[in-house]
Amino acid sequence: MKPELNWAALDKAKPGQYLVRFAFGGLISVGAAALGAHWGPGVGGLFLAFPAILPASLTLLKDKGGTRQACDDARGAVLGSLGLCAFALTVMSAGRAPLVQVLLLATAAWALTSIALWWAAYRNERA
Amino acid sequence: MLPDPCPLFSSEDTRHTDLMATWLQFALRFVLGGAIVSLFSFVGQLLKPKTFAGIFSAAPSVALGSLALSRLAHGAEHTVAEGRSMALGSVALLVYSAACAESIRASRWPVWLTTGLCWALWLLTAFSLRGCLLWVTQR
């Protein structure tokens, strides 16, 4: 099984769904900043990995694609969270480098870790 | 009484300016965070199979904008501290995602309810790990 682009999914997408995700993403960003301002970066940093939009995504997937698709998405998020851990560890260890460099390195660490883990776990699985 | 350190502004004006700057920063975080979350969500929606698309449900979408703005506002040490805590948060996200996968498979309850209830599990895991880290480092 190889990853592919599914352009047909665009036909099913509704602008309202993106508005909900935009609002949740914005609220969690502001919430993390407010918590960080009050209790320090030790608490604010936790919320940079808060599952803000996963409930909305999984609910939509269950309604449109059934239990299997929602379950698969959550299993993919397990791998993505290990990638997110690689992102955070990169920020922690290279955080004093120039900002753009830190963010690019960390995003690359997230992508490489997640994709490598996915490849190891699911490459032989049938669609 | 000590003289005002800034003769151009009264202390009330300075407070007002600080408040405006804080609200402006929150507004910027809201727009940036929302835009990056929507972008990753859009990419995830375009991909199949769903196990691969799910990776984008755990993308650093909130972190990218927040870390950039906090680095500009507070400096590198603040970013490093946030990264350390974020690593703990991402372990909690792993527990959360695994619990969601299991609850969707096994539970008859609505997905919005079980995934919403799993937020409590995320909070418990994240703050327990932080507590453990503080206990270990302060010993």
Side-chain angles (χ1 to χ4, degrees):
Chain A
M1 187 164 54
K2 281 182 184 171
E4 291 170 20
L5 284 172
N6 178 23
W7 295 108
L10 279 185
D11 300 336
K12 294 179 190 167
K14 289 178 184 168
Q17 296 168 4
Y18 286 101
L19 274 178
V20 169
R21 286 166 179 153
F22 182 90
F24 264 97
L27 283 174
I28 289 298
S29 300
V30 170
L35 289 168
H38 198 263
W39 280 295
V43 172
L46 289 174
F47 285 84
L48 297 183
F50 186 76
I53 56 160
L54 209 49
S57 304
L58 293 176
T59 305
L60 282 171
L61 268 174
K62 171 83 189 288
D63 291 346
K64 299 223 165 132
T67 303
R68 168 86 194 270
Q69 283 204 6
C71 198
D72 280 353
D73 197 80
R75 286 160 70 205
V78 170
L79 303 182
S81 57
L82 286 167
L84 201 64
C85 194
F87 177 99
L89 292 173
T90 309
V91 170
M92 197 179 109
S93 52
R96 290 171 193 88
L99 175 63
V100 176
Q101 199 177 317
V102 177
L103 294 182
L104 282 176
L105 263 177
T107 308
W110 164 75
L112 285 174
T113 307
S114 308
I115 292 170
L117 287 170
W118 183 86
W119 192 252
Y122 295 113
R123 73 176 164 201
N124 292 326
E125 195 165 289
R126 284 165 188 261
Chain B
M1 193 175 161
L2 289 169
D4 194 327
C6 181
L8 285 177
F9 300 103
S10 71
S11 58
E12 198 165 318
D13 285 337
T14 315
R15 266 203 303 275
H16 182 70
T17 313
D18 286 350
L19 198 67
M20 284 293 286
T22 306
W23 278 108
L24 193 68
Q25 206 188 93
F26 278 158
L28 199 60
R29 277 177 194 271
F30 184 86
V31 173
L32 203 59
I36 301 174
V37 163
S38 303
L39 181 72
F40 274 110
S41 179
F42 176 76
V43 175
Q45 202 163 13
L46 275 182
L47 291 165
K48 63 177 188 181
K50 283 295 159 199
T51 46
F52 191 76
I55 289 172
F56 287 81
S57 298
S61 37
V62 171
L64 280 170
S66 296
L67 287 171
L69 289 174
S70 67
R71 169 73 180 262
L72 294 172
H74 305 290
E77 291 310 315
H78 195 273
T79 313
V80 170
E82 279 189 325
R84 190 179 305 123
S85 276
M86 192 189 161
L88 303 178
S90 62
V91 176
L93 182 61
L94 186 148
V95 173
Y96 174 88
S97 308
C100 283
E102 189 52 31
S103 71
I104 290 167
R105 194 185 62 77
S107 167
R108 288 176 188 276
W109 289 7
V111 176
W112 63 266
L113 183 62
T114 53
T115 53
L117 286 174
C118 284
W119 271 343
L121 186 64
W122 182 90
L123 287 167
L124 184 73
T125 312
F127 281 95
S128 302
L129 287 171
R130 180 169 154 71
C132 287
L133 182 75
L134 287 176
W135 183 70
V136 168
T137 51
Q138 285 173 1
R139 275 180 79 191

